[in-house]
Amino acid sequence: MKEYKILYEGELKVGMSGSISKRISEEDVDTFAKVTGDYNPMHMDQEFAEKTQFHKRIAHGMLSAGMISACLGTKMPGPGAIYLNQSLRFDKPVYFGDVLVATVTVEKIDQKAHFQIATLSTVVTNQNGDKVTEGEAQIMPAKRD
């Protein structure tokens, strides 16, 4: 079995953070549309998009949100964490070729009866440092057997 870096319940501390990055491609957008069924012409039709305020196709906002999920599940706190909820605000459009960085930071840890709930700030920025997506997530860290 592959070894994973995991922060278990009790190991998370306020201020810890993790990040992942990815260049967004036209193929990413096309694949996302196929998987989700979201064929909004804003994302799929250049001729349509040229007549909008963005003047070209943009990526689905949920692609950037998916990067937050990937960061939580692979970097901070890593495999075994349970994603409980997420608030999101889409601040700026994402264009093909943009390099996004999703960063999650532990803001608060609450101890419930038999488990912890961690609240994390979630921010996705582009190559210019502009926030494209931001919000807050709650997760349950993995427990050791």
Side-chain angles (χ1 to χ4, degrees):
M1 185 167 108
K2 183 177 177 183
E3 291 291 320
Y4 296 99
K5 182 180 183 310
I6 302 170
L7 288 169
Y8 290 95
E9 183 176 270
E11 296 175 342
L12 281 181
K13 305 287 183 231
V14 171
M16 289 179 148
S17 67
S19 297
I20 62 166
S21 65
K22 176 176 181 26
R23 181 178 303 276
I24 301 301
S25 69
E26 184 173 4
E27 182 181 354
D28 293 329
V29 171
D30 292 346
T31 300
F32 188 87
K34 287 175 189 161
V35 168
T36 64
D38 182 353
Y39 288 96
N40 180 338
M42 189 72 240
H43 310 301
M44 307 306 295
D45 183 334
Q46 182 61 30
E47 189 176 319
F48 176 90
E50 285 173 358
K51 297 174 185 156
T52 71
Q53 68 270 33
F54 301 114
H55 307 291
K56 57 185 171 180
R57 290 170 60 189
I58 61 173
H60 301 78
M62 292 307 287
L63 262 174
S64 62
M67 289 181 62
I68 294 167
S69 176
C71 190
L72 291 168
T74 64
K75 300 289 182 186
M76 172 58 69
I82 304 300
Y83 204 167
L84 299 173
N85 66 59
Q86 172 79 56
S87 66
L88 292 169
R89 185 172 62 244
F90 300 106
D91 298 321
K92 293 197 181 258
V94 173
Y95 298 102
F96 303 158
D98 281 357
V99 177
L100 302 185
V101 177
T103 303
V104 301
T105 304
V106 179
E107 300 292 336
K108 182 170 77 168
I109 300 170
D110 293 315
Q111 185 66 48
K112 302 297 182 188
H114 299 290
F115 55 90
Q116 284 184 342
I117 302 288
T119 302
L120 299 95
S121 63
T122 59
V123 178
V124 182
T125 57
N126 64 17
Q127 66 279 354
N128 301 320
D130 298 327
K131 288 181 185 177
V132 297
T133 306
E134 59 184 316
E136 184 177 270
Q138 287 187 317
I139 59 100
M140 207 168 43
K143 280 189 156 191
R144 290 192 190 275
D145 282 336

